[in-house]
Amino acid sequence: SVPGPEIRVTKGDVVEAVLRNTDIDEGVTLHWHGFPVPNGDDGVAGITQDAVPPGGQFVYRFLADRPGSFWYHTHQVSHVGVKRGLFGSFVVVDGQPDAEVDIAIPAHRLLLEDTDAAVRDVPPGARVRLRLVNADDNAHGFTVVGTPWRLKEIDGMPVADPEQVSDRLLRLAAGGRYDVVFEMPAAAAGGVRVGVNGRTRLILSGPPVEAVPTVPTALPQLDPLAYGQAPQPPPEPFDRTHLIVLDRQVRVVNRLPQLAYTVNGRAWPDVPPLTVRQGEWVKLTVVNRDRESHPMHPHGHHVLVLSRDGVPASGSPLWMDSFDVLAGETWEVALRADNPGVWAAHCHNLPHAVKGMMLHLLYEGVNSPYHPGGHNHPE
C-alpha cells in the first residue's frame, strides 16, 4: 500500500520490525525518522547497515520509550524510494491517551494527487488529535478550520503551555510533524476541515452537518519559535561549536562535475564529519547561502532552536529534528550528544541530499563497519 501501514505502539513496548525486500532491485532499508533508536537500528545504508537486497531481510528491534509522532521510510536511494511510496507513519502513544479520536495524516505528492477528501463522523465534545506528517521533499502548508486548536507537539516533542489559536497556517518542513489538538464543536457549528496546500484532505463532522467551512488559501503563519512559554536555554558555554554553511557550487558528485548542494564547500561523501563527544552540548550555526530552503535533519537527535537570524526563540523550548533553514537565513541550534554512534545528517529535500548536502555526525571513538558506495546509497 501507499503509504505503508501505520505502525502504532504504546510507550514501553518493544518494537520488532522485520523488513523483507521482495523485488526492489536497488535495495531497501527502514529509517525511523525522528525517533532516537540505537544507532544500529537507524536504517541508513552504508552508515548503520548494508542495504537489504531482493530476497533479503533485516530485523529492527528497539524500545518505544518516547511517545510522539514519527514516520519511517527507506534510506537506500531514498530520493527515489520515498518519492515512489516507501514510507509510513510511526506513532507511539502514551499509556493514557489524551484524545478519543487520534488520526495520523501523512502528506506526500502521491497522496495529494487524490482529489477526494476523507470524511469521518466525530461526535461533538470529543477530544481530537491530528498528527500532521510531511513525508515529502518540500514544505507543506496545513490548515485546520472550523474550531480553535492548540499545537500540542512539534517533531514528537511536547510544547509547553500551548495557547489556543485559530485560522493560522502551519508551514511544516519536509520530514517534520505537528500534533494539533482540539475539542470537536457542536454539530450546528459545522464540521472541521483539514487542508494541505489549500486543498481539503479530511472532513470531521458530527451529524447533522449544516455547513462545512471551506479551506482558506491565505492565513497568517504560526511561528513555532514564538509559540508557548519562555524557553530554558542549555548551559553555557558550549563544549564545542560547529559552523555549517549550505550553498550551491560546482563539485564532483557521483564522479561527474555538476552544480552540487554543498556543506562547507564540500559535497557528500567528501564533507568532513561533525565530531562530538558523548555528554557534550554542541552549538551548531547553520547558514543558508543558497536560494532554496534546506530542511536539515540530524539523525538520532533533536536540536534545541536558539535563534533565527539573530532573534532568540521566545516561545516554548523548541526541540526539532527537521528544521527548515530558508534562503538567506541563519539558525543557531543546540545539540545534546546523548546517543552515541555514527549518524547521518542531511537536507531532507532528498534530491538535495543526493547532490551532495549530507554529512556524518560522528561520536569520538565510534566507528562503523559499513561504507557508502558499491551497493549502499543512503541518499
Side-chain angles (χ1 to χ4, degrees):
S1 65
V2 176
E6 177 184 295
I7 299 175
R8 186 172 290 245
V9 302
T10 301
K11 179 183 176 182
D13 286 349
V14 174
V15 178
E16 181 176 278
V18 179
L19 170 65
R20 295 191 180 98
N21 182 359
T22 301
D23 57 5
I24 301 173
D25 291 336
E26 58 267 36
V28 68
T29 66
L30 282 184
H31 167 58
W32 307 91
H33 186 114
F35 193 86
V37 295
N39 191 229
D41 291 297
D42 197 44
V44 182
I47 297 180
T48 65
Q49 68 173 92
D50 287 326
V52 179
Q57 76 173 36
F58 190 93
V59 179
Y60 303 87
R61 187 182 293 109
F62 55 90
L63 178 65
D65 56 356
R66 176 181 297 182
S69 300
F70 311 97
W71 62 297
Y72 64 89
H73 61 83
T74 186
H75 225 298
Q76 159 73 356
V77 194
S78 58
H79 71 290
V80 175
V82 179
K83 180 187 297 183
R84 293 181 178 177
L86 295 179
F87 70 93
S89 300
F90 175 53
V91 175
V92 183
V93 299
D94 215 334
Q96 297 179 337
D98 61 356
E100 288 90 15
V101 178
D102 188 322
I103 307 172
I105 307 175
H108 186 277
R109 69 193 69 198
L110 295 177
L111 307 178
L112 297 178
E113 292 176 359
D114 183 2
T115 58
D116 295 329
V119 178
R120 180 164 174 173
D121 288 335
V122 178
R127 293 171 298 171
V128 179
R129 186 182 193 119
L130 303 177
R131 302 176 185 267
L132 311 177
V133 181
N134 187 351
D136 227 332
D137 289 325
N138 298 299
H140 288 310
F142 287 84
T143 50
V144 179
V145 294
T147 188
W149 46 266
R150 300 177 193 272
L151 184 53
K152 180 79 169 180
E153 290 185 4
I154 297 175
D155 286 357
M157 300 292 283
V159 175
D161 194 21
E163 61 262 35
Q164 185 170 271
V165 297
S166 59
D167 297 330
R168 297 287 190 91
L169 175 69
L170 285 167
R171 184 185 186 276
L172 185 54
R177 288 89 59 214
Y178 284 151
D179 282 32
V180 172
V181 297
F182 57 87
E183 185 176 292
M184 191 67 191
V192 175
R193 182 169 290 195
V194 183
V196 182
N197 301 336
R199 299 176 61 183
T200 301
R201 305 309 307 159
L202 174 67
I203 300 172
L204 303 178
S205 58
V209 176
E210 297 180 1
V212 177
T214 58
V215 176
T217 57
L219 289 174
Q221 184 173 314
L222 185 144
D223 184 359
L225 275 70
Y227 182 78
Q229 290 183 341
Q232 298 294 323
E236 299 268 5
F238 289 96
D239 298 295
R240 70 177 78 196
T241 62
H242 286 288
L243 175 65
I244 302 172
V245 179
L246 311 175
D247 210 339
R248 292 208 74 183
Q249 298 169 309
V250 176
R251 295 291 184 269
V252 175
V253 179
N254 294 325
R255 301 181 181 179
L256 295 173
Q258 56 184 284
L259 187 58
Y261 292 90
T262 59
V263 180
N264 295 340
R266 304 278 189 92
W268 168 265
D270 297 323
V271 182
L274 299 177
T275 303
V276 300
R277 185 182 294 117
Q278 186 172 358
E280 289 183 332
W281 274 106
V282 182
K283 182 179 179 180
L284 306 177
T285 301
V286 185
V287 181
N288 185 358
R289 300 199 307 196
D290 190 18
R291 296 181 179 180
E292 299 179 67
S293 65
H294 296 299
M296 300 306 293
H297 174 51
H299 286 213
H301 302 77
H302 283 70
V303 296
L304 176 63
V305 178
L306 303 175
S307 71
R308 180 182 57 209
D309 290 339
V311 180
S314 60
S316 166
L318 179 56
W319 291 90
M320 308 182 78
D321 61 63
S322 305
F323 59 100
D324 208 359
V325 186
L326 302 186
E329 287 185 343
T330 297
W331 286 54
E332 291 181 321
V333 301
L335 181 146
R336 179 68 169 174
D338 58 1
N339 196 3
V342 179
W343 302 94
H346 60 93
C347 176
H348 219 278
N349 187 327
L350 297 175
H352 295 180
V354 76
K355 291 188 177 182
M357 197 165 281
M358 183 168 174
L359 70 160
H360 284 113
L361 173 63
L362 177 64
Y363 279 69
E364 290 183 356
V366 179
N367 297 301
S368 171
Y370 306 104
H371 302 281
H375 67 282
N376 288 322
H377 299 280
E379 69 283 359

